[in-house]
Amino acid sequence: MNQPIPFSAGRPSDPARGDLTGIMQSVAHGDKQAFSALYDALAPMVFGIVVKVVRDRAQSEEVAQEVMIDLWRQAARYRPDAGSVTTWAATIAHRRAVDRVRSAQAASDREQAQAAREHTTAFDEVAEQVETRLESEQVRRCLGGLTELQHQAVTLAYYQGLTYREVAEALRTPLPTIKTRMRDGLVRLRDCMGVTT
């Protein structure tokens, strides 16, 4: 698999787009090189769709990465007679982006309702926002220090709620390897974040 999505303003490469249906069929059979070609062809388009809906670049990168993982996992479900690979990927990207916006809005609504119910004392919102943003940036920086397999495994487990076995199946990697990589990755994250046990 390639590095994380190169979210540039560039267009998908035309040679790979010429036979995306054949590439998708190879991906459905677990061909990692075909997925690499699919990734290169569709990642910029997927990111473009997501960022228009989500608007936050960091969240858009996460959602776009999730969409690309969905394309890998759902490749066998693609049916050429229902539409092009590009249309299928665009539909998945748009749905994921809308889900993220709705989820964020629902979480915000719940938080506001809870605060209104509790009538808590005022706090410095700016300081809290700065602290949250710094923590979020630190998590992203620390995740960037992991190996690709560790990053993927931790992301699937903690951001998508997959079990070790589901992560192993999604990444087509033996379960013991996933457990080891996740343990090592979590230790590295803990050390990077400065968490003491």
Side-chain angles (χ1 to χ4, degrees):
M1 223 181 280
N2 285 357
Q3 294 297 319
I5 296 175
F7 297 121
S8 63
R11 306 292 300 170
S13 59
D14 289 337
R17 291 172 63 90
D19 188 28
L20 287 181
T21 301
I23 291 172
M24 183 60 78
Q25 290 170 348
S26 297
V27 170
H29 290 98
D31 184 335
K32 290 182 181 180
Q33 287 183 335
F35 180 68
S36 179
L38 184 75
Y39 192 103
D40 291 343
L42 297 180
M45 177 204 66
V46 166
F47 179 72
I49 291 169
V50 172
V51 79
K52 284 180 184 173
V53 176
V54 176
R55 300 192 189 265
D56 177 79
R57 185 172 180 84
Q59 284 193 38
S60 297
E61 288 175 355
E62 289 176 17
V63 173
Q65 199 69 12
E66 291 169 6
V67 170
M68 297 311 296
I69 291 170
D70 278 352
L71 292 177
W72 170 260
R73 294 175 71 190
Q74 297 180 28
R77 293 183 184 173
Y78 170 69
R79 297 290 174 257
D81 55 338
S84 71
V85 173
T86 305
T87 302
W88 187 60
T91 301
I92 292 172
H94 187 263
R95 286 181 185 159
R96 275 280 193 163
V98 169
D99 287 348
R100 175 63 67 98
V101 170
R102 287 180 179 158
S103 175
Q105 184 60 49
S108 175
D109 292 348
R110 281 192 304 273
E111 289 172 9
Q112 289 177 0
Q114 181 67 24
R117 282 194 301 271
E118 293 178 356
H119 300 288
T120 56
T121 56
F123 60 91
D124 186 352
E125 289 183 15
V126 173
E128 185 177 40
Q129 288 175 356
V130 168
E131 185 177 348
T132 300
R133 177 164 287 187
L134 288 174
E135 287 174 356
S136 181
E137 289 173 2
Q138 184 178 14
V139 169
R140 275 196 294 279
R141 182 179 52 78
C142 290
L143 279 172
L146 301 180
T147 66
E148 183 177 349
L149 184 57
Q150 288 171 338
H151 185 276
Q152 290 172 334
V154 169
T155 300
L156 289 171
Y158 290 96
Y159 287 102
Q160 293 190 16
L162 300 183
T163 64
Y164 283 131
R165 186 170 306 285
E166 290 169 333
V167 171
E169 290 171 4
L171 298 177
R172 298 183 184 257
T173 304
L175 182 58
T177 302
I178 289 298
K179 287 182 178 180
T180 300
R181 295 303 183 269
M182 284 185 66
R183 185 194 69 231
D184 294 344
L186 290 174
V187 166
R188 287 175 75 177
L189 281 175
R190 182 195 67 203
D191 293 342
C192 180
M193 298 289 295
V195 176
T196 56
T197 54

PDB file of all heavy atoms in Angstrom, residues 87 98 109 131 134 144-145 171:
ATOM      1  N   THR A  87     -17.505   6.836 -10.116  1.00  0.00           N
ATOM      2  CA  THR A  87     -18.802   7.210  -9.549  1.00  0.00           C
ATOM      3  C   THR A  87     -19.030   6.492  -8.229  1.00  0.00           C
ATOM      4  O   THR A  87     -19.509   7.081  -7.259  1.00  0.00           O
ATOM      5  CB  THR A  87     -19.939   6.875 -10.538  1.00  0.00           C
ATOM      6  OG1 THR A  87     -19.693   7.578 -11.754  1.00  0.00           O
ATOM      7  CG2 THR A  87     -21.294   7.262  -9.976  1.00  0.00           C
ATOM      8  N   VAL A  98     -20.529  13.244   4.583  1.00  0.00           N
ATOM      9  CA  VAL A  98     -21.788  13.693   5.193  1.00  0.00           C
ATOM     10  C   VAL A  98     -21.961  13.052   6.571  1.00  0.00           C
ATOM     11  O   VAL A  98     -22.363  13.722   7.526  1.00  0.00           O
ATOM     12  CB  VAL A  98     -22.982  13.374   4.260  1.00  0.00           C
ATOM     13  CG1 VAL A  98     -24.308  13.573   4.973  1.00  0.00           C
ATOM     14  CG2 VAL A  98     -22.916  14.232   3.003  1.00  0.00           C
ATOM     15  N   ASP A 109     -24.256  19.137  19.380  1.00  0.00           N
ATOM     16  CA  ASP A 109     -25.587  19.359  19.945  1.00  0.00           C
ATOM     17  C   ASP A 109     -25.724  18.704  21.316  1.00  0.00           C
ATOM     18  O   ASP A 109     -26.291  19.291  22.244  1.00  0.00           O
ATOM     19  CB  ASP A 109     -26.670  18.821  19.009  1.00  0.00           C
ATOM     20  CG  ASP A 109     -26.776  19.627  17.717  1.00  0.00           C
ATOM     21  OD1 ASP A 109     -26.184  20.725  17.631  1.00  0.00           O
ATOM     22  OD2 ASP A 109     -27.441  19.135  16.786  1.00  0.00           O
ATOM     23  N   GLU A 131      -5.936  24.100  24.041  1.00  0.00           N
ATOM     24  CA  GLU A 131      -5.426  22.861  24.626  1.00  0.00           C
ATOM     25  C   GLU A 131      -5.877  21.646  23.814  1.00  0.00           C
ATOM     26  O   GLU A 131      -5.082  20.748  23.516  1.00  0.00           O
ATOM     27  CB  GLU A 131      -5.908  22.727  26.075  1.00  0.00           C
ATOM     28  CG  GLU A 131      -5.328  21.527  26.794  1.00  0.00           C
ATOM     29  CD  GLU A 131      -5.767  21.463  28.257  1.00  0.00           C
ATOM     30  OE1 GLU A 131      -6.318  22.449  28.766  1.00  0.00           O
ATOM     31  OE2 GLU A 131      -5.555  20.404  28.866  1.00  0.00           O
ATOM     32  N   LEU A 134      -3.921  21.554  20.539  1.00  0.00           N
ATOM     33  CA  LEU A 134      -2.544  21.115  20.768  1.00  0.00           C
ATOM     34  C   LEU A 134      -2.486  19.608  20.998  1.00  0.00           C
ATOM     35  O   LEU A 134      -1.605  18.922  20.475  1.00  0.00           O
ATOM     36  CB  LEU A 134      -1.934  21.864  21.960  1.00  0.00           C
ATOM     37  CG  LEU A 134      -1.609  23.343  21.716  1.00  0.00           C
ATOM     38  CD1 LEU A 134      -1.163  24.010  23.012  1.00  0.00           C
ATOM     39  CD2 LEU A 134      -0.566  23.501  20.639  1.00  0.00           C
ATOM     40  N   GLY A 144       2.157   9.893  13.253  1.00  0.00           N
ATOM     41  CA  GLY A 144       3.074   9.963  12.118  1.00  0.00           C
ATOM     42  C   GLY A 144       4.404   9.282  12.385  1.00  0.00           C
ATOM     43  O   GLY A 144       5.131   8.940  11.456  1.00  0.00           O
ATOM     44  N   GLY A 145       4.735   9.066  13.650  1.00  0.00           N
ATOM     45  CA  GLY A 145       5.990   8.416  14.007  1.00  0.00           C
ATOM     46  C   GLY A 145       5.909   6.897  14.003  1.00  0.00           C
ATOM     47  O   GLY A 145       6.908   6.225  14.251  1.00  0.00           O
ATOM     48  N   LEU A 171      -6.389  -5.762   6.950  1.00  0.00           N
ATOM     49  CA  LEU A 171      -5.033  -5.517   6.452  1.00  0.00           C
ATOM     50  C   LEU A 171      -4.400  -6.763   5.852  1.00  0.00           C
ATOM     51  O   LEU A 171      -3.247  -6.715   5.424  1.00  0.00           O
ATOM     52  CB  LEU A 171      -4.157  -4.961   7.580  1.00  0.00           C
ATOM     53  CG  LEU A 171      -4.605  -3.616   8.162  1.00  0.00           C
ATOM     54  CD1 LEU A 171      -3.704  -3.196   9.311  1.00  0.00           C
ATOM     55  CD2 LEU A 171      -4.628  -2.547   7.085  1.00  0.00           C
TER      56      LEU A 171
END
